[in-house]
């Protein structure tokens, strides 16, 4: 997954329960058909944002939608699950407020945007896709937001690394 080390993706039983029950009725539930597709949805995001609250975590804007909005997932890299280092899904829910996307972009948290999948949603937030800031920089003009081509190049490089590690 772009932005994370090549580790297994996991979700704890507690997080699964929160997602499937809508946090005990506080939120709309995420249907099991969407939960089952989370690895694919996370691997092919509409957009990725740095988390505002958890260092090292990303918020993944997926292409899945439910009645109350678009489904997002929070993922923490290099987390421990039992005795394994993993990329850990810490939350999944529908994001209802479209202005949230604009807030994230204005704050410079946008790291990746697939203009074909998420252009309408991100543009509806009132911001162009290239207005974020590089991680570690606050100036929006210093960032080039990663695009679908960058994701393809990243995956090609990851496959090459795996292939050469098998040969050695």
């Amino acid at each position: 997954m772009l932005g994370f080390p090549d580790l297994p993706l996991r979700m704890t039983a507690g997080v699964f329960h929160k997602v499937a029950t809508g946090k005990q009725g506080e939120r709309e539930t995420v249907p099991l058909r969407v939960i089952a597709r989370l690895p694919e949805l996370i691997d092919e995001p509409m957009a990725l944002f740095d988390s505002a609250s958890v260092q090292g975590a990303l918020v993944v804007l997926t292409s899945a939608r439910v009645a109350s909005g678009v489904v997002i997932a929070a993922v923490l890299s290099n987390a421990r699950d039992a005795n394994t280092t993993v990329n850990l899904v810490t939350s999944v829910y529908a994001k209802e407020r479209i202005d949230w996307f604009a807030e994230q972009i204005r704050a410079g948290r946008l790291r990746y945007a697939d203009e074909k999948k998420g252009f309408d949603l991100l543009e509806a937030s009132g911001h162009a896709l290239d207005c974020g800031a590089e991680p570690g920089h606050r100036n929006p003009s210093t960032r080039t937001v990663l695009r679908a081509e960058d994701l393809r190049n990243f995956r090609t490089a990851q496959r090459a690394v795996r292939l050469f590690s098998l040969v050695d």
Side-chain angles (χ1 to χ4, degrees):
M1 184 170 109
L2 188 65
F4 283 122
D6 189 20
L7 296 170
L9 183 67
R10 301 265 173 88
M11 178 190 297
T12 66
V15 170
F16 177 84
H17 184 262
K18 269 195 328 188
V19 172
T21 63
K23 203 172 177 182
Q24 303 295 340
E26 291 179 30
R27 298 178 174 154
E28 178 182 3
T29 61
V30 176
L32 290 178
R33 63 181 165 68
V34 173
I35 296 171
R37 291 185 48 228
L38 275 176
E40 170 192 339
L41 292 167
I42 290 171
D43 194 44
E44 297 177 0
M46 287 190 346
L48 292 174
F49 300 93
D50 286 317
S51 171
S53 57
V54 178
Q55 181 74 23
L58 289 178
V59 177
V60 182
L61 173 62
T62 74
S63 57
R65 295 179 187 265
V66 293
S68 62
V70 66
V71 175
I72 65 170
V75 183
L76 180 62
S77 68
N78 290 312
R80 296 294 293 173
D81 182 34
N83 293 325
T84 307
T85 303
V86 298
N87 293 320
L88 189 65
V89 176
T90 58
S91 186
V92 179
Y93 59 94
K95 183 52 83 174
E96 301 172 23
R97 292 184 19 237
I98 197 161
D99 59 332
W100 179 86
F101 302 107
E103 292 167 11
Q104 302 312 300
I105 293 169
R106 269 193 308 273
R109 293 190 193 102
L110 181 64
R111 292 182 86 189
Y112 167 80
D114 186 322
E115 61 274 352
K116 292 179 183 169
K117 289 181 183 176
F119 186 78
D120 58 339
L121 185 63
L122 294 170
E123 285 295 312
S125 73
H127 286 29
L129 294 179
D130 60 352
C131 63
E134 281 292 340
H137 293 86
R138 290 283 182 211
N139 183 352
S141 65
T142 65
R143 178 176 192 146
T144 301
V145 174
L146 299 175
R147 308 291 179 132
E149 179 179 321
D150 299 306
L151 182 57
R152 282 191 299 278
N153 292 340
F154 172 77
R155 288 182 178 148
T156 300
Q158 289 295 325
R159 283 192 291 274
V161 167
R162 278 190 231 120
L163 178 64
F164 287 120
S165 68
L166 293 174
V167 174
D168 290 338

